[in-house]
Amino acid sequence: MNKGEVLRRLREMGDEGYRHRMKNFGIKTTRAHGVAVWKIRDLAKSIGSNHKLAEELWNEKLHEARTLATLIADPKQMSRAAMDRWVKSIESWDICDAACGNLFDKTPYAYEKARKWVKQEREFTRRAGFVLMANLAVHDKRAAVKDFRPFFNLIKQNCDDDRNFVKKAATWALRQIGKRSATLCREAIAVGEELLACDSTVCQWVARDALRELRSDKVQQRLFGK
């Protein structure tokens, strides 16, 4: 299937009602047909891995084409430069999360980019840094505790950002890292307590949101048996 055929399929699957609902979730729909994610996933399965096509689709700047690109791109073929180029052009939180959770966290440069992007001022680049941390905590089963510890300082240093899509990603990162193991849970709770004691209302919000889940009966029972 070539780019033209894919774009035609996406156009045919478009639903104006779904497109309107996307707007209600804060998703930019200026260049979108309104195709449900599950339909895009089904299309991705029929295409399979195709990195060249993924690059072509990403460059189209069409919402659904970019979502599809994150599903069919080959993480091993993503270069550092390509990752930076993609993330700099993201303009919607859901594309950011799809790129991080479907593709970026599986590349050899995921930890490096999380550390780099979270320091950037651009809204969706910083969000991508936090979202990458969260996804690595869930998906990278071979990682050790020491791989996640550097993220704690980065969260503390960069979570004082009152933009909604950034602060929500910051607490997501802290929660997911803390839920990975008992050791990381203790350390994440300590970070949350430190943020709660600072003067920033944004950092306090991030802390309260994370601590609410990390101290919940469900998480404590799973990690500590209590």
Side-chain angles (χ1 to χ4, degrees):
M1 192 177 295
N2 61 35
K3 182 183 75 172
E5 292 170 331
V6 171
L7 293 176
R8 177 180 57 79
R9 289 280 299 277
L10 291 173
R11 186 170 58 251
E12 291 171 350
M13 289 190 291
D15 180 326
E16 189 57 32
Y18 189 84
R19 184 172 177 270
H20 182 72
R21 291 195 292 277
M22 289 166 64
K23 278 186 180 180
N24 293 337
F25 284 100
I27 298 171
K28 291 186 178 180
T29 58
T30 308
R31 290 181 56 81
H33 295 313
V35 183
V37 175
W38 69 266
K39 292 182 179 180
I40 298 175
R41 288 189 177 277
D42 283 349
L43 180 57
K45 289 177 184 176
S46 70
I47 296 172
S49 178
N50 189 327
H51 196 74
K52 179 177 180 295
L53 178 58
E55 284 279 10
E56 292 173 350
L57 290 172
W58 186 268
N59 292 335
E60 282 296 308
K61 300 181 181 179
L62 176 71
H63 187 276
E64 290 82 5
R66 286 192 162 182
T67 302
L68 180 60
T70 70
L71 292 163
I72 66 172
D74 180 358
K76 295 179 181 177
Q77 294 188 57
M78 287 296 293
S79 65
R80 289 182 174 90
M83 290 174 72
D84 285 334
R85 176 168 48 81
W86 280 37
V87 82
K88 285 177 183 176
S89 67
I90 292 174
E91 297 181 344
S92 186
W93 67 265
D94 63 319
I95 296 296
C96 176
D97 296 2
C100 290
N102 296 334
L103 178 62
F104 292 158
D105 69 336
K106 300 172 182 64
T107 69
Y109 317 114
Y111 288 86
E112 171 190 327
K113 293 304 181 184
R115 294 190 296 267
K116 174 183 176 181
W117 291 343
V118 79
K119 300 175 186 177
Q120 303 300 306
E121 181 60 29
R122 186 175 181 275
E123 181 177 14
F124 290 113
T125 303
R126 178 170 289 173
R127 178 181 173 89
F130 285 128
V131 174
L132 254 184
M133 293 178 189
N135 277 284
L136 286 166
V138 175
H139 297 154
D140 191 357
K141 305 302 183 184
R142 294 178 296 179
V145 166
K146 64 179 178 62
D147 296 319
F148 296 98
R149 282 185 171 138
F151 290 161
F152 287 137
N153 276 334
L154 289 168
I155 291 171
K156 289 189 290 184
Q157 292 163 5
N158 297 282
C159 72
D160 188 13
D161 188 323
D162 64 0
R163 291 175 292 187
N164 198 43
F165 293 130
V166 177
K167 69 180 185 180
K168 285 188 173 181
T171 188
W172 183 12
L174 187 56
R175 286 187 284 113
Q176 293 304 122
I177 295 170
K179 290 190 294 181
R180 184 177 171 91
S181 70
T183 298
L184 286 170
C185 186
R186 292 189 191 95
E187 295 181 16
I189 286 175
V191 169
E193 290 172 341
E194 186 176 341
L195 291 173
L196 200 59
C198 75
D199 294 331
S200 166
T201 56
V202 178
C203 291
Q204 291 169 6
W205 182 91
V206 169
R208 283 194 298 271
D209 188 74
L211 290 172
R212 187 180 302 115
E213 183 170 13
L214 295 176
R215 287 172 169 164
S216 68
D217 291 343
K218 182 178 179 181
V219 172
Q220 291 292 303
Q221 178 64 36
R222 180 173 66 83
L223 295 178
F224 301 101
K226 61 180 181 181

